[in-house]
Amino acid sequence: MLKVAISVPLSREFDYLPPADTPVPDPGSRVRVPFGSRRRVGVVIGHATESSLPPDKIRRSLEVLDDEPLLSGNELWLIRFTSDYYHHPIGEVVAAALPAILRQGKALHPVVETVTTTALAGATDIEALARRAPKQAELLEMLLDAGGDGVEADELTESLPNWRRAAKSLFEKGLITRHEARAPAFDETLAPDAEPGPDLNDEQQAAIDTLRVSDSFGAFLIEGVTGSGKTEVYLHRMRDVIAQGKQVLVLVPEIGLTPQLVTRLRRRLGIEPALLHSGLTDNQRLAAWRAARSGAARLVVGTRSAIFTPLKRPGLIIVDEEHDHSFKQQEGLRYSARDLAIARAKHLDIPVVLGTATPTLEMLQHCRDGRYTHIELPNRAGGARPPVFRIVDTARTPATDGLSEPLLAAIREHLDADGQVLVFLNRRGFAPTLICSGCGHVAECRRCDARLTVHAGKRELRCHHCGAVRPLDSRCEECGEAVRPLGEGTQRLEDALRQHFPERRITRVDSDSTQRKGAMIDVLDQAREGEAEILVGTQMLSKGHHFPKLSLVGIVNADQGLFSTDFRSAERMAQSIVQVAGRAGRVSASGEVLIQTGFPDHPFWSTLIAGGYNQVAAEALAEREVTRWPPFTRLALIRSAAHRQADAHAFLDLARQSLEAQCGDMMRVLGPVDAPMARRAGRYRAQLLLQSSDRRTLHDALRALRPVLEEAPVARKVRWSIDVDPVELF
Ligand code: ADP
Ligand code: ZN
């Protein structure tokens, strides 16, 4: 009998008989099975001799979809581990681990249909065609834009759902053709020859010596200030492992934000990396996945979900920017790719290297416990000096549109000295609030407990939580008086900077300004070449980029986290400031960092400035030990959301009762309480926090709880989730 994982929100495996007249499929193979009245694709995750179902209820699978297992024992182990650790249905974990094409039951080497234009197409009068047949014109234009390689049929279906009708006419006119072919194999020879790098300095040499001690499991945390040469150290270690004929998996926060890293790996190793990220077509993603699985790709670079990529000969896993929150998936299967990387490396008995300038307290504590090896690179490589911090008291020198006199003076000075300036504000839009000057009414989202953000360009009010948009009215909806934007976002800051520095080239970088595909890369190129003299932006600017000319960083509103109740606020604030500060003065002169705050005497500042991230982290760890927050205890958060507040709470009341009956006082159960944003996108949200100093206790409780919740009648009225090791407590 087969144990089959099927993508449904139930924590169980399903029993099926193998299809008639075929060999029993090995675990890791896909099968098509009847499920209710439909057919589903599942993955065999084991064989069994017994079932809880009576024999006449066990159905036969219809078909085996793979000649050999898609997933090896190691990959199945990771899937099972993920399902157990995050208390998430195994079928959904399998679905997260497989590329879409394989989930749909198609072949590992599917035939790909592509459409291209013929030589005739170039001469077509598109405007005339658009008047007669707009669909055809649209399709033809898209294909012409794509050039010689054409466009995959699947992609066309996504952007022009009914494209086949238009294609038929274009085909009859001889303007387009279609091909079917197996997707080309991954080609590693595309990469240029490996380029030499700098000689390692003594600290880097010591780091690489430590990493080279063993090829078996070990977790290494490289804590190195920005520009300390961490990447050089990874590169040396990667080269060793690749020379042994093994594969390296590199996880990065967001590939779109780190094109420089990918280029550098390719050039320096002389290897074409297989890339796995959200910007790929399904076929491209599958091609990279296949190359990793077959071993054809020796270097695999990807974002969060790449942690599930099968590897034929795994040798090393690297997690760059370990502290970055994008490694944690915040919906559905709420996993941490960093934590899974460590678990996977341990299971495979290979090393895992975590690098960052601002390690999370969890990783630091593992180092203190002696479980992980701490490697420090406290100095910048190549002799660059660290930036100098300066506090600007906005109570004494108030900021107008976000800019105080001292900050403006510093910007002027740095620009005059031919430096580049980065102004950082982690809030996009024009202003975070629209307020009425008559009655004080504040514009709020109708579906969320949240204020609407003013977006000036399109004259809109937008909710950054549910995406609702409405036109910006100049009169108050309550009393009809004039409204005005309050506070500032990056757009307003950009406007203000343009007024102060009309002759300077200013570029804004946030998720609004970089929506167009490739926009981020263009902006970064401009910034690197020094073409943009002033950069204004959100934390998108703080991730991994090298700006050689950057000499001043201005942090506009640093106070958001000072009085937060989140136990992680000091850690996060220090991470975000140190990361953005790290962009300054990377190569030649030492840079300057100006921090505007209304609370210059807050102890956070003196700790950060005198002791750096290290000191903030040490103090925060001491505090967490006393207050019993992670990493000294373990957390899980159960969330629920429903159209009626009472349902959201009733569901969690049930969870609470069940937990109390089970574990008594071995575990703290806090709540249910309303979520910090109690209503979002029209649903009321509540949460229950579970805390225990013993990981086992917590997991045993969740394991027993999950089936109770799945079967509870009230569960049908709520959306709920279990979040193990949550990073956001709301
Ligand atoms: P990190 O990853 O810690 O930010 P990088 O490895 O990117 O640091 O190095 C920062 C810069 O310093 C890069 O331009 C790199 O080429 C240079 N660099 C790194 N190591 C050395 C070295 N030993 N000697 C000279 N330059 C170096
Ligand atoms: Zn909203």
Side-chain angles (χ1 to χ4, degrees):
M1 200 167 23
L2 309 175
K3 293 272 173 199
V4 178
I6 297 173
S7 181
V8 286
L10 292 174
S11 319
R12 41 176 289 227
E13 296 156 16
F14 297 88
D15 296 344
Y16 285 92
L17 296 170
D21 310 325
T22 53
V24 176
D26 286 324
S29 314
R30 290 172 302 160
V31 284
R32 203 182 298 280
V33 294
F35 191 82
S37 59
R38 299 175 51 200
R39 296 166 159 213
R40 303 291 289 248
V41 175
V43 171
V44 179
I45 48 174
H47 295 161
T49 47
E50 279 177 25
S51 172
S52 54
L53 293 174
D56 60 322
K57 286 270 192 260
I58 303 178
R59 300 169 80 180
R60 197 168 274 290
S61 21
L62 303 165
E63 164 184 28
V64 180
L65 297 170
D66 299 302
D67 303 335
E68 51 172 309
L70 273 188
L71 302 169
S72 73
N74 283 332
E75 280 103 40
L76 289 173
W77 175 88
L78 181 64
I79 285 169
R80 199 175 281 285
F81 176 85
T82 305
S83 167
D84 287 346
Y85 187 84
Y86 293 105
H87 301 277
H88 200 81
I90 193 160
E92 294 191 345
V93 179
V94 168
L98 289 183
I101 291 181
L102 298 177
R103 264 192 325 261
Q104 293 154 8
K106 293 189 196 145
L108 180 59
H109 294 271
V111 170
V112 179
E113 178 187 3
T114 39
V115 183
T116 46
T117 52
T118 63
L120 280 179
T124 316
D125 181 346
I126 299 239
E127 278 175 24
L129 181 63
R131 282 192 294 273
R132 278 179 292 120
K135 279 266 154 66
Q136 289 179 36
E138 197 181 348
L139 176 60
L140 191 61
E141 236 185 329
M142 205 171 142
L143 293 171
L144 283 168
D145 283 349
D149 293 340
V151 182
E152 291 172 14
D154 288 353
E155 248 184 287
L156 290 174
T157 307
E158 223 166 80
S159 34
L160 296 173
N162 289 318
W163 65 277
R164 282 188 194 271
R165 274 186 51 195
K168 193 155 170 276
S169 314
L170 292 175
F171 180 72
E172 281 160 5
K173 292 178 199 157
L175 298 176
I176 62 170
T177 59
R178 101 182 233 286
H179 313 259
E180 281 191 348
R182 286 191 184 264
F186 175 77
D187 187 0
E188 216 181 47
T189 61
L190 287 171
D193 287 342
E195 283 172 15
D199 290 333
L200 296 185
N201 62 33
D202 293 347
E203 285 170 351
Q204 287 169 311
Q205 191 59 50
I208 186 74
D209 290 346
T210 307
L211 294 181
R212 279 181 176 147
V213 164
S214 160
D215 291 331
S216 357
F217 173 69
F220 299 88
L221 176 67
I222 305 189
E223 174 175 5
V225 299
T226 313
S228 60
K230 294 183 289 297
T231 312
E232 285 301 320
V233 175
Y234 306 154
L235 277 165
H236 279 73
R237 190 65 183 127
M238 291 161 88
R239 205 173 284 136
D240 297 346
V241 171
I242 290 169
Q244 294 167 11
K246 293 190 262 182
Q247 293 170 289
V248 178
L249 171 63
V250 181
L251 297 182
V252 295
E254 282 154 77
I255 286 199
L257 300 185
T258 46
Q260 293 169 339
L261 176 66
V262 173
T263 310
R264 187 160 158 203
L265 296 179
R266 177 187 287 126
R267 282 214 194 116
R268 292 288 303 287
L269 297 170
I271 283 184
E272 189 61 27
L275 299 182
L276 284 149
H277 57 90
S278 56
L280 302 175
T281 66
D282 287 349
N283 273 308
Q284 288 170 331
R285 176 170 263 276
L286 177 62
W289 192 88
R290 239 179 1 228
R293 175 180 175 274
S294 70
R298 288 174 290 172
L299 174 60
V300 180
V301 184
T303 45
R304 181 171 69 215
S305 65
I307 187 57
F308 295 110
T309 314
L311 297 167
K312 176 100 170 183
R313 292 181 301 275
L316 171 67
I317 305 179
I318 291 174
V319 183
D320 192 29
E321 309 294 355
E322 162 280 308
H323 66 279
D324 199 286
H325 288 174
S326 64
F327 286 123
K328 172 90 187 197
Q329 177 142 308
Q330 308 276 16
E331 61 198 12
L333 169 59
R334 291 168 158 79
Y335 65 99
S336 155
R338 176 202 61 203
D339 293 347
L340 287 181
I342 297 165
R344 188 175 182 191
K346 188 166 185 191
H347 176 77
L348 295 171
D349 198 24
I350 60 172
V352 55
V353 178
L354 314 165
T356 172
T358 53
T360 52
L361 301 194
E362 280 78 1
M363 298 303 113
L364 283 174
Q365 186 58 28
H366 282 309
C367 292
R368 289 187 173 189
D369 288 345
R371 289 150 50 91
Y372 297 0
T373 306
H374 197 180
I375 298 174
E376 287 174 271
L377 296 174
N379 300 304
R380 292 190 168 195
R385 275 168 294 159
V388 177
F389 283 78
R390 190 148 61 102
I391 294 279
V392 174
D393 178 357
T394 50
R396 270 198 280 159
T397 51
T400 313
D401 292 338
L403 301 165
S404 65
E405 236 351 283
L407 178 56
L408 285 168
I411 294 175
R412 209 164 285 128
E413 196 182 304
H414 279 261
L415 290 175
D416 288 345
D418 232 10
Q420 193 182 27
V421 172
L422 188 164
V423 184
F424 173 78
L425 174 61
N426 215 0
R427 201 152 57 190
R428 64 197 172 86
F430 185 81
T433 304
L434 185 71
I435 190 165
C436 170
S437 36
C439 70
H441 173 76
V442 166
E444 290 187 341
C445 179
R446 297 199 175 96
R447 308 171 66 219
C448 305
D449 286 341
R451 294 178 173 185
L452 292 168
T453 300
V454 183
H455 283 252
K458 292 188 181 155
R459 294 196 51 82
E460 282 171 349
L461 285 172
R462 286 195 216 153
C463 174
H464 287 184
H465 304 282
C466 72
V469 179
R470 62 183 207 234
L472 177 60
D473 213 337
S474 52
R475 297 274 148 200
C476 175
E477 56 185 354
E478 298 284 313
C479 73
E481 285 291 311
V483 290
R484 65 190 168 86
L486 190 67
E488 53 278 329
T490 45
Q491 283 178 8
R492 185 173 218 169
L493 208 51
E494 180 191 1
D495 286 1
L497 284 163
R498 283 192 196 286
Q499 278 174 15
H500 287 287
F501 304 99
E503 73 290 3
R504 299 291 183 174
R505 291 182 299 272
I506 301 177
T507 303
R508 175 164 58 86
V509 183
D510 54 31
S511 53
D512 298 318
S513 73
T514 53
Q515 270 172 356
R516 180 177 58 79
K517 216 176 185 176
M520 188 66 191
I521 294 185
D522 292 350
V523 167
L524 290 176
D525 281 347
Q526 279 175 25
R528 202 166 38 249
E529 304 300 321
E531 215 176 278
E533 294 163 296
I534 304 178
L535 292 162
V536 190
T538 57
Q539 41 89 29
M540 280 182 107
L541 271 178
S542 71
K543 294 192 178 185
H545 315 298
H546 295 233
F547 301 125
K549 288 185 71 184
L550 188 67
S551 60
L552 171 68
V553 172
I555 298 176
V556 168
N557 179 354
D559 295 337
Q560 284 155 3
L562 283 180
F563 302 101
S564 159
T565 52
D566 184 339
F567 69 88
R568 284 200 177 88
S569 65
E571 175 187 4
R572 285 202 181 156
M573 222 172 124
Q575 283 168 345
S576 118
I577 290 172
V578 169
Q579 288 290 341
V580 67
R583 308 303 123 202
R586 295 186 52 122
V587 177
S588 50
S590 96
E592 199 180 6
V593 179
L594 245 67
I595 300 175
Q596 289 186 164
T597 171
F599 307 91
D601 300 326
H602 195 288
F604 176 84
W605 300 121
S606 48
T607 309
L608 181 66
I609 291 170
Y613 182 78
N614 253 304
Q615 190 60 31
V616 174
E619 289 185 9
L621 262 179
E623 195 180 311
R624 295 221 204 145
E625 186 159 19
V626 174
T627 50
R628 306 306 296 159
W629 282 114
F632 300 94
T633 51
R634 298 279 178 157
L635 300 181
L637 194 63
I638 305 180
R639 296 185 179 86
S640 68
H643 290 294
R644 290 180 40 216
Q645 195 172 22
D647 291 335
H649 279 260
F651 176 81
L652 294 177
D653 282 332
L654 174 86
R656 185 186 174 107
Q657 283 155 20
S658 165
L659 288 165
E660 276 171 352
Q662 246 185 84
C663 24
D665 53 7
M666 286 285 286
M667 197 168 58
R668 274 179 81 192
V669 181
L670 300 148
V673 293
D674 282 343
M677 186 184 291
R679 198 171 52 105
R680 180 169 174 172
R683 283 194 165 78
Y684 291 91
R685 307 154 81 230
Q687 59 190 37
L688 189 69
L689 185 66
L690 281 52
Q691 184 180 37
S692 173
S693 43
D694 179 42
R695 187 173 72 182
R696 263 302 242 315
T697 306
L698 186 70
H699 281 272
D700 288 348
L702 288 169
R703 194 164 303 115
L705 179 64
R706 171 118 205 166
V708 175
L709 299 183
E710 281 177 8
E711 269 146 43
V714 59
R716 267 177 256 131
K717 297 187 208 156
V718 301
R719 285 192 187 165
W720 60 278
S721 63
I722 295 177
D723 190 353
V724 175
D725 306 331
V727 295
E728 300 284 355
L729 290 187
F730 50 84

